[in-house]
Every structure is written in structure tokens, then in C-alpha cells.
Amino acid sequence: MTTRTSTTTADPAGTPTASAGVRVTSTTLADGRELLYFDDSEPYVSGAATRRLDDPRPLPDRFAPDADGVVPTGPELRRDPLTGEWVAIAAHRMNRTFLPPADANPLAPARPGATYQDGEIPAEDYDVVVFENRFPSLLRVPGVLDEVTLRDDEPLWQTRPAVGRCEVVCFSADPTASLRTVGPRRMRTVIEAWAHRTAALNATEGVEQVFAFENRGKEIGVTLHHPHGQIYALPYLAPRTATMLAAASEHRARTGRLLGRDVLDAELRHATRVVLESEHWVAYVPFAARWPVEVHLVPRRDVPDLPALDDAERADLATTYLELLRRLDLFFVDDDTAVPLPYISGWHQAPARQGRDDWRLSLQVFSVLRAPGKLKYLAGVESGVAAWVSDTTPERIAARLQELA
Amino acid sequence: MTTRTSTTTADPAGTPTASAGVRVTSTTLADGRELLYFDDSEPYVSGAATRRLDDPRPLPDRFAPDADGVVPTGPELRRDPLTGEWVAIAAHRMNRTFLPPADANPLAPARPGATYQDGEIPAEDYDVVVFENRFPSLLRVPGVLDEVTLRDDEPLWQTRPAVGRCEVVCFSADPTASLRTVGPRRMRTVIEAWAHRTAALNATEGVEQVFAFENRGKEIGVTLHHPHGQIYALPYLAPRTATMLAAASEHRARTGRLLGRDVLDAELRHATRVVLESEHWVAYVPFAARWPVEVHLVPRRDVPDLPALDDAERADLATTYLELLRRLDLFFVDDDTAVPLPYISGWHQAPARQGRDDWRLSLQVFSVLRAPGKLKYLAGVESGVAAWVSDTTPERIAARLQELA
């Protein structure tokens, strides 16, 4: 039985501590994964030594050889020769000897006094927790060289280790909560966690992009209802990010201006699709919205990513984001009852190492729900050639969100 | 009541007739849409004058002003300023006064002797039929200029009419059939229809790309079970097609060779992922397969698109495609019963007007089914930034398809 536990207060060189009185405590799970507590108020429940427990589970070291002596090599990236895009092949998962009972909630805090721990979080209570995903699509395995090699000596078959990191962000210890219901104080802590992780992961060797996102709702395949999001630190620019960066760089070269700024200014000039304005933030339905419901939330000031937001912008974001989520959960009504919106939300942040001056932070929230019980499916044209067809108009989406003000 | 019917034998200048003894008969539905019968054997049931009926439905001319005098303008393309990609906004559908009863099958042949026609096809029997979709995402409206304009004079808000054409291809008059079960003679007729439509639409003003595809299975949102596919004639290069063309052109510039040729040669050299070989065709699971099930079917000879296939290649394709579909429907087994695979298949053909020398024809067939009852959802990373994660390996997919030989 391997139980390694080391606890450090945060603030390693190069990674900022969180602001707004949030205390960050880093610890290590039994298999070596990192877990960070983000406590937002006295008595700093999860970070406090009296409440913080070591991980008692008999998890094998994730980098140790398996029973057959095979050393895990981690997930792989393969270059699709037809598109030039990297695809993660994550079938070679790490040791999966330990699995919690099927009915257990792995994101719940440890049960007080329990001798056995079902889930991932050793503390008996917490505010916000971030930890490395146990079965990651991206993972840096010690000793594995981060370089491109050719499979079978074929020039078109390029492969490299899928270094990077996949993290889980628990928004609340309450499994019945959702991000919409956590309140502004806790939302602020989530923002601090996103900003902290973005800064830390951007500074990590080999990371090209940090994408923080939330999938919510069984309609998009979420099986774990505990409120949580994810963070992917990718060792390459995702295809859509690369496309967005190319458009922003082209706009800069042609006009000398920031594309995101000009997009926002145009939306504010006409206001047709602006759905929400606060002191520091603006939400609008984009001119060419592709999804049945889609909103972009952007800061008024030009900033590349979440770590660049100042204190006032973060505080305002907490309440503005909650208001946006409130309206989204009222968007569809079925038989006089609001239908909680299944959604995907993602922070489009500046890449870690390139194009940062051309990028402007934005949050994209979108849904595949067309109407109560009706989904937009990504069929032939979308999934086959990425040609998009919307069955509604951006102006209709905006009008609905405006009337919910 | 507007009932316009004009019938012409096919072979308009510039569009080839179908080969293999398939007779093509063009007719016009009551609202002006074109419908083509592809009859593959005597007595040419749907093309024969004795069996061909005029469309008796009271459909208004689709380009006529509506009850309020508003002239339809058709669907719209908007340029997404953040990516530079065109998005079709098809909410302004054409006149929808006529709708068949909810339980009717609009792709069934007309009932013999019926005084009222439920569906789209006036003939009482047919082999293969192609007709313009009644509610198209792409449509050239007479008199509407195909040019880019700025919405509200904003340079970032570019819009243009979504000219083009959306067609429906009925694979069989039997609503209980599927493409897998139509047999080689009828499959050949479907291939002739695809090739005929590709040539005709490529030659149509404003068309940049023809994409023929099939969505099959309720898991991907198909609600109409009558065996059918679709053809989109796009007035722009779809984003994935543009990416594939850029990769092929880059490869040509760097090596002097055809990318698709080199990809096929590499697969044949090692054969690890080759699942099927016939005289003229090869099917393999690609090196960087993104989907839980994915196969590419390509000709041995370098050809840009379906119209370029010769008679022997078309005949061989008919039987090879059927064999591939047979195996796909055995891929997953649940409780000793094969689970028919929900799939999307699409023909990646050379664009109509550019890059044709760098392109090589391929059929991509893929599924979102990971296991019986379990779907791959396109969640945060895929839908948000188009970063792909596969939970299986291409070699596992290939091994399963090989053992079904």
C-alpha cells in the first residue's frame, strides 16, 4: 500500500496565490496526484489542519509498473495527416485497480468518522477543490520524453506523448447545488481557482493553452451531477483556438486593432444582441451564433485571460455570471415550468506562449437544446465537414434573454 | 392551386447521364422543386410515363410572396468574425403552409389510386429518387444577388444569401429497408445518383463543394427511418474541407505527391488497420481516428470525386460498401444480439472549383456509439475548442472489423 501525503501551503515560485482572501492549500493524494483546496472564509474548513485528512485509500502510485511489470506510458497524441490536427488517444489509461462503488459520489467530501473513503477528497468539508483527474486524457509521465516520433518509421504517422494536465474543479461540497446556486462569494472563489490554475498551468513546461470549461446536464452526457467543471492544460493549440488566433492576428495586421475589441464595440454600438451589461462586463449573442442558445460574456477592458482580471472585475464577474446563468435556466419553459438548460461553457483565454497580444478574453456559453426535449444533433454537415447550420437567429436568442432581465 | 409539372429526360448540357443502364427522369413538384427518378431496370417503374404522376398537392410556389405580400429571401450566411467561418442561418424558412400528417412518411411512394398524396414523391413506385429538400438550409432564390453585404454597415458583420441546394436521396421505396439491405444492384444506382448529382451541382453557378452524406439512427437525431441520405451543394468551402485541402496542398508543395495517395500507401505497407480490400477499393481505420468507430473507404486509383470513377470501380464500390456496412452492423453486440450501428457517412470529394489536383476521393464512416447504449458526447473540449479525445485506439477498432471478415 502506497500512501504518499505531502502538504504545502501554496505560492510556489511563479504561481500566484489567489486574491480576495482565498486561502490555497496544496496536498497530494495517495497515488501522487495534486489536490488544492480553495477556502474562502474562516475557518478555512478544508485547508485547516484539524479538518484536513490524509488520503487513506490504497491507491497504487500512478506511475509505478503494473502487476505485469509494464511501466505506464500515458496517453498519446497522434497527428491526423489529413488535417494536420493532433488527436488525443487516451485508451491506455493509468492503473484502474481502485474504483469507488458505483453509487458513490467521488466529489463529495469525506464522511466524518468514516474509516473508508469513497471519493477523491480527503477533507470532511470544503469550499472549492481542484484536483488532477484520475483518468486523464493528458498527463506528463516522468521520464517520458516530450518529442515527436514516427510510428513504424512512417513520415505521416507522427506521435508524441499527450503531456499536459486534466483537472477537476468542484464548485461546492453540496452535491445538490449547481454553479447557478452557489452565491456570489463562492462564485468568486471559483473564479479565483480558475485564475490560479490558469496562471500555474500556463507556467508549466510544455503547456500551450489552458481551457477551463463546464459541461452541465445529462443531455450532453454528464453522468456525475455533483457541480463541477474541468480544466485542460493542452500541449498544443486546439484547432478552434488556432483558427481564432489566426483571425485575430489577421485583423491586427490589417487594421492595427484588437479583433475582440472591435467585435465588442460593434455589439455595443447597435445593442440589438446585447443581453446584459454590468460595470465591467457585457454579455451578447454573437452575430453568427451557431448553437440554439449561445452567449458570449466579455470584460469591458482588454485583457488576455482570467489572471489579468483585477479585483473589481472579478467581483463583478461573480454576480454577472450568476445573473447570466439565472436567465439561461429560464430560457425554455415547458408546461409553465422552467427547464434547466443543459449547457457547455468555456473560457477562451490567450494561449500560454503565443499570440497573447492579439487575444481578448471571452466566455462562451452554449446549449444543444432547441426546445424542451429537443436537441440539436451534430449530424452529417456539422460532424463531417464542420459546416454549421442554425435553425434560429441570433436576434431571437437575444430577444428571449433580454425579456428575462 | 399551383400545379406546375414539366418533365424532361435528363442529360442537360454539361451534366452526364448516369451509366450502368440507369435511366434518369427529371420532373418538377407542385412548388417548383426538382425531383429526379433514377430507374435501374425495366420497366423503369418511376420514370415510365404510365406510372409517373403529376404532383397533385396544393403547394404554393416557394418563391411567391406570402399572405402578407412578403417575398421570401431564403436562408442567410453570416461570417463569424472570430473564426472567419460562414454559418448558415436557416430560420427564415420558406412557405410552410403545407405539412403532411404527422404519421405520414414523406419519402414513401404515392399510394396507388389515392386521391390525396401524403408525401413528396408522386410516382407509385421507384428505385432511387433525388429531390430538393422542401425546407433547405441552402437555396438560390431567383432575383436575390449572390454578394456579400454588411449588416448595419458594420465591417465585421458580413452576410450573404445562402445560395446552394439541399437534396434528399431516397435509397429505396421500402421504408423498412436500409442502405445495407438494398443489394448491389440498387446500391449501384445510389452511386450513380451521387455521381450524377455531384457532376450537375459542381457545374452549378456559385457552388464550391458538394457533400453527399447519410445520417442513420435515432442516436444522431434521425427521426425519419425511411432509408435516405442528403446532398448539400455549398457556396463556400466547409471549414473541415478547407483544412483538408490546405494539408493536401502543403503536402503537394513539400513532396510533389498526392497526400491521399501517400496516406493509403502507408496503410497498405503495414496493413495493421486495413480492414477490407477489393480489386478497386481499400477500407482502413485511419491512424488518428477520432470517433469510437471510424473507417475510411478509398479507391486504389487516384480520383478526385465520384464522377471520376469508372464503371468497374463503381460496380466494385457497390459490393465493397455493402460489405463494410454489414460489418459495421455487427460491430457491437449486446446480449448476443448485434446492435445496428448509428452512423454518419460522408463523401469527401474534391471542391468544385479549386484544389482538384490535390484532392483524393474518400468516404468517411463514423459512429458516436462507444458501446451498446453508450454514446460519445461532444462536450467541452470537442465542442468548445475542437480538441479531440478518443477513448479507444484505431488499432482496436480495426481489429474488431477484421475479425468480422
Side-chain angles (χ1 to χ4, degrees):
Chain A
M1 173 171 151
T2 312
T3 311
R4 302 186 311 186
T5 307
S6 74
T7 306
T8 57
T9 48
D11 199 14
T15 61
T17 43
S19 57
V22 171
R23 178 166 129 169
V24 188
T25 311
S26 170
T27 181
T28 306
L29 296 174
D31 56 2
R33 285 176 293 137
E34 187 179 16
L35 182 147
L36 298 114
Y37 296 110
F38 290 80
D39 290 281
D40 58 32
S41 45
E42 295 286 359
Y44 297 121
V45 289
S46 51
T50 51
R51 304 290 293 278
R52 197 178 62 240
L53 306 174
D54 287 345
D55 181 356
R57 297 171 295 175
L59 303 183
D61 186 303
R62 59 191 170 150
F63 300 128
D66 68 12
D68 300 324
V70 177
V71 179
T73 54
E76 174 192 8
L77 292 177
R78 294 189 186 187
R79 186 176 172 281
D80 177 356
L82 296 176
T83 62
E85 296 168 356
W86 292 103
V87 175
I89 309 287
H92 298 292
R93 297 285 179 90
M94 307 303 285
N95 290 309
R96 300 190 74 157
T97 32
F98 173 90
L99 283 174
D103 61 345
N105 173 5
L107 307 187
R111 284 169 293 146
T115 53
Y116 178 80
Q117 181 186 328
D118 292 340
E120 293 280 62
I121 300 157
E124 293 172 358
D125 192 10
Y126 65 82
D127 294 341
V128 169
V129 166
V130 176
F131 62 88
E132 289 183 79
N133 197 316
R134 187 185 294 159
F135 306 111
S137 307
L138 304 163
L139 178 67
R140 180 178 284 278
V141 176
V144 173
L145 282 181
D146 178 14
E147 57 185 26
V148 175
T149 54
L150 302 183
R151 181 70 40 87
D152 297 326
D153 289 326
E154 286 292 346
L156 291 174
W157 295 357
Q158 295 183 26
T159 176
R160 53 192 271 217
V163 303
R165 190 147 140 155
C166 294
E167 298 184 341
V168 177
V169 184
C170 298
F171 299 144
S172 165
D174 176 1
T176 68
S178 80
L179 191 57
R180 178 176 62 80
T181 67
V182 298
R185 184 73 198 84
R186 190 57 39 84
M187 178 64 100
R188 175 68 194 268
T189 310
V190 171
I191 294 164
E192 293 302 324
W194 283 330
H196 179 281
R197 300 314 303 147
T198 298
L201 293 168
N202 270 350
T204 301
E205 186 190 351
V207 170
E208 288 290 330
Q209 173 180 8
V210 176
F211 184 57
F213 62 98
E214 181 190 4
N215 301 325
R216 196 187 75 169
K218 63 178 176 4
E219 294 86 347
I220 51 166
V222 177
T223 51
L224 186 60
H225 298 294
H226 193 110
H228 72 286
Q230 298 182 63
I231 298 173
Y232 271 45
L234 296 156
Y236 63 97
L237 275 203
R240 185 176 164 83
T241 306
T243 300
M244 291 170 70
L245 179 57
S249 300
E250 186 278 329
H251 187 83
R252 169 80 80 184
R254 190 164 45 79
T255 68
R257 295 191 306 272
L258 193 58
L259 176 58
R261 174 88 253 159
D262 282 358
V263 167
L264 172 59
D265 286 346
E267 295 294 344
L268 287 171
R269 250 190 309 274
H270 300 276
T272 324
R273 289 181 300 270
V274 171
V275 298
L276 206 162
E277 290 197 63
S278 66
E279 186 181 353
H280 297 287
W281 293 84
V282 179
Y284 62 87
V285 178
F287 172 66
R290 332 183 151 215
W291 302 90
V293 182
E294 179 171 357
V295 192
H296 293 188
L297 178 61
V298 303
R300 291 189 189 270
R301 185 169 65 94
D302 297 338
V303 298
D305 55 15
L306 289 164
L309 295 172
D310 67 24
D311 192 65
E313 288 163 337
R314 295 179 189 205
D316 188 25
L317 173 59
T319 53
T320 306
Y321 197 170
L322 287 173
E323 168 62 12
L324 181 60
L325 292 177
R326 182 189 72 79
R327 291 200 210 170
L328 290 171
D329 270 352
L330 297 173
F331 195 94
F332 290 115
V333 174
D334 189 21
D335 205 12
D336 287 335
T337 304
V339 177
L341 191 73
Y343 68 73
I344 295 170
S345 65
W347 283 103
H348 295 288
Q349 305 194 81
R353 292 162 212 287
Q354 59 178 296
R356 292 182 58 83
D357 291 345
D358 292 339
W359 199 273
R360 198 173 190 283
L361 175 67
S362 71
L363 173 76
Q364 181 190 16
V365 188
F366 57 97
S367 180
V368 292
L369 202 67
R370 293 190 294 120
K374 287 190 180 173
L375 301 182
K376 173 183 179 64
Y377 289 89
L378 301 186
V381 279
E382 280 101 355
S383 289
V385 292
W388 230 263
V389 178
S390 170
D391 289 326
T392 184
T393 68
E395 291 70 30
R396 270 187 219 164
I397 302 170
R400 175 64 181 150
L401 287 169
Q402 286 159 352
E403 77 182 11
L404 295 168
Chain B
M1 172 171 154
T2 311
T3 311
R4 299 188 310 188
T5 306
S6 74
T7 305
T8 57
T9 48
D11 199 15
T15 61
T17 44
S19 57
V22 171
R23 178 166 131 169
V24 188
T25 311
S26 170
T27 181
T28 305
L29 297 173
D31 56 2
R33 286 177 292 137
E34 188 179 13
L35 181 147
L36 296 115
Y37 296 110
F38 290 80
D39 289 282
D40 58 33
S41 45
E42 295 286 357
Y44 297 122
V45 290
S46 51
T50 51
R51 304 291 292 276
R52 196 177 62 238
L53 306 174
D54 287 345
D55 182 358
R57 296 171 296 176
L59 303 183
D61 186 305
R62 59 193 171 148
F63 300 128
D66 68 12
D68 300 323
V70 177
V71 178
T73 55
E76 175 192 7
L77 292 177
R78 294 190 186 186
R79 186 176 172 281
D80 176 355
L82 296 176
T83 61
E85 297 169 356
W86 292 103
V87 175
I89 309 287
H92 298 293
R93 296 286 179 90
M94 307 304 285
N95 290 310
R96 300 190 73 156
T97 30
F98 171 89
L99 283 175
D103 60 347
N105 172 6
L107 307 187
R111 284 169 294 146
T115 53
Y116 178 80
Q117 181 186 330
D118 291 341
E120 294 280 61
I121 300 158
E124 292 172 1
D125 192 9
Y126 65 82
D127 294 341
V128 169
V129 166
V130 176
F131 61 88
E132 290 184 78
N133 197 316
R134 188 185 293 160
F135 306 111
S137 307
L138 305 163
L139 179 68
R140 178 178 285 279
V141 176
V144 173
L145 282 181
D146 178 15
E147 57 186 25
V148 174
T149 54
L150 302 183
R151 183 69 40 86
D152 297 326
D153 289 327
E154 286 292 347
L156 291 174
W157 295 356
Q158 295 182 27
T159 176
R160 53 193 269 217
V163 303
R165 187 145 142 158
C166 294
E167 298 184 340
V168 177
V169 184
C170 299
F171 300 143
S172 166
D174 176 1
T176 68
S178 80
L179 192 57
R180 178 176 61 80
T181 67
V182 298
R185 183 73 198 85
R186 192 57 38 85
M187 177 65 100
R188 175 69 193 269
T189 310
V190 171
I191 293 164
E192 293 303 322
W194 283 331
H196 179 281
R197 300 314 304 146
T198 299
L201 293 168
N202 270 351
T204 302
E205 187 189 351
V207 170
E208 289 290 331
Q209 172 180 8
V210 175
F211 184 57
F213 61 99
E214 182 191 4
N215 300 324
R216 196 188 75 170
K218 63 179 176 6
E219 294 87 347
I220 52 166
V222 177
T223 51
L224 187 58
H225 298 294
H226 193 109
H228 71 286
Q230 297 182 63
I231 298 173
Y232 271 45
L234 296 156
Y236 63 98
L237 275 202
R240 184 176 164 83
T241 305
T243 300
M244 289 170 70
L245 179 57
S249 300
E250 186 276 329
H251 187 84
R252 168 80 80 185
R254 191 165 44 79
T255 68
R257 295 191 305 273
L258 193 58
L259 176 59
R261 173 87 253 159
D262 283 359
V263 167
L264 172 59
D265 285 346
E267 295 293 346
L268 287 171
R269 252 192 305 276
H270 300 276
T272 324
R273 290 181 299 271
V274 171
V275 298
L276 206 161
E277 291 196 62
S278 66
E279 186 181 354
H280 297 288
W281 293 84
V282 178
Y284 61 87
V285 178
F287 172 67
R290 336 186 147 212
W291 302 91
V293 182
E294 180 172 356
V295 192
H296 293 189
L297 178 61
V298 303
R300 291 191 190 268
R301 186 168 65 93
D302 298 338
V303 297
D305 55 15
L306 290 164
L309 294 174
D310 66 26
D311 193 65
E313 287 163 336
R314 295 179 190 206
D316 188 25
L317 173 59
T319 53
T320 306
Y321 197 170
L322 287 173
E323 167 61 12
L324 181 59
L325 292 176
R326 182 188 73 78
R327 293 201 209 169
L328 290 171
D329 270 353
L330 297 173
F331 195 94
F332 290 116
V333 174
D334 190 19
D335 207 11
D336 287 334
T337 305
V339 178
L341 192 74
Y343 67 75
I344 295 170
S345 64
W347 283 103
H348 295 288
Q349 305 194 80
R353 291 160 213 287
Q354 58 178 296
R356 292 182 58 84
D357 291 345
D358 292 341
W359 198 273
R360 199 174 190 283
L361 175 66
S362 70
L363 174 75
Q364 181 191 17
V365 188
F366 57 97
S367 180
V368 293
L369 203 67
R370 292 190 294 119
K374 287 191 179 172
L375 301 182
K376 173 182 179 66
Y377 290 90
L378 301 186
V381 280
E382 279 101 355
S383 289
V385 291
W388 230 262
V389 179
S390 170
D391 289 327
T392 185
T393 67
E395 290 71 29
R396 270 188 219 166
I397 302 171
R400 176 62 182 151
L401 288 169
Q402 286 159 353
E403 78 183 12
L404 294 168

